[in-house]
Amino acid sequence: HVSELEKAKARLKYLGFTDTQLETIGVGGAVTPEYTARAPVMGVVTKRDVNPGQTVATDAALFQISRLDRVWVLVTAFEQDAGRLRVGVPVTVTVRGQTGPRYRAKLAYVDPQVDATTRSLQARIELPNPKGALKFGMLVDAELELPGTTESLPIPAHSVQAIGDRRVVYVQDVARPDVLTEPTVDVGATDGGQSEIRQGLSASNRV
């Protein structure tokens, strides 16, 4: 029946079949067991939920296609910095374990809610990725130029000790190398085994 044939072709066209493919289906009574269905968008297949020979439902999701020409970077920020996070804040992103390149961007989104367990919140950076160098799941470091930020020092996180309500670091005395002092420090973010010291240490201190 003509109407049924047209309906079937319309469904196939919705799946990505071209007019040329539709014209050749069933020509001469021959049936081709395989046809190429084209994706409606360009990108990379990042998930596959179907295998050859598998029967699938009409509403089943078979593939997930993602575009990599522009990617999101999710940043976890601590609660004490929430008041200074703003959309548009400049940020420099580097891939952990790599010497370069450095990506310059701005914060595109700041989550309005702080996680009750971790006392942190997420922010989002959107980066152009024309060569596909940035991959899903990569670990990166993001340096945000927050208003009111002072220069900080990164030290191994295990060097920070808690004494009551104080955070201290044991530092070698310059005049007496066999003596350790314990200055109180202001600890910022901790990530990747490193803690950010905002106050209480100088670059010349030996921890």
Side-chain angles (χ1 to χ4, degrees):
H1 194 275
V2 176
S3 61
E4 292 300 323
L5 177 61
E6 293 303 320
K7 289 180 181 180
K9 286 186 176 182
R11 287 196 294 269
L12 291 175
K13 194 167 187 177
Y14 178 76
L15 291 174
F17 281 68
T18 64
D19 290 333
T20 301
Q21 287 177 301
L22 295 175
E23 290 171 1
T24 59
I25 293 177
V27 173
V31 177
T32 303
E34 294 183 358
Y35 291 95
T36 300
R38 303 185 182 279
V41 295
M42 294 182 61
V44 177
V45 175
T46 53
K47 186 178 181 182
R48 188 189 73 178
D49 290 322
V50 65
N51 294 304
Q54 179 179 335
T55 301
V56 296
T58 56
D59 59 347
L62 307 183
F63 299 94
Q64 177 176 293
I65 300 175
S66 303
R67 297 188 61 175
L68 297 179
D69 56 336
R70 192 171 186 84
V71 297
W72 286 5
V73 176
L74 299 180
V75 178
T76 300
F78 287 90
E79 183 178 14
Q80 59 263 36
D81 294 321
R84 295 184 291 166
L85 292 177
R86 297 284 189 277
V87 171
V89 167
V91 58
T92 301
V93 177
T94 54
V95 178
R96 192 169 298 177
Q98 297 184 11
T99 56
R102 293 166 63 87
Y103 301 90
R104 293 284 297 168
K106 294 182 178 181
L107 282 186
Y109 172 78
V110 178
D111 195 329
Q113 182 172 347
V114 173
D115 186 281
T117 303
T118 63
R119 309 311 306 172
S120 63
L121 72 161
Q122 283 200 331
R124 187 179 74 230
I125 305 163
E126 297 180 7
L127 289 179
N129 188 36
K131 296 182 179 180
L134 297 172
K135 311 295 184 184
F136 293 137
M138 274 185 166
L139 293 178
V140 301
D141 292 311
E143 182 180 340
L144 281 68
E145 299 176 16
L146 298 176
T149 301
T150 57
E151 186 176 355
S152 60
L153 292 173
I155 67 170
H158 62 77
S159 299
V160 180
Q161 304 295 319
I163 300 180
D165 59 353
R166 297 169 56 221
R167 297 290 183 90
V168 303
V169 173
Y170 291 99
V171 176
Q172 187 179 52
D173 190 284
V174 177
R176 297 172 296 170
D178 58 332
V179 175
L180 297 177
T181 61
E182 51 178 45
T184 299
V185 293
D186 178 18
V187 183
T190 297
D191 189 27
Q194 296 284 306
S195 287
E196 174 190 55
I197 304 301
R198 293 171 170 169
Q199 287 183 333
L201 283 184
S202 66
S204 60
N205 290 139
R206 294 190 62 182
V207 176

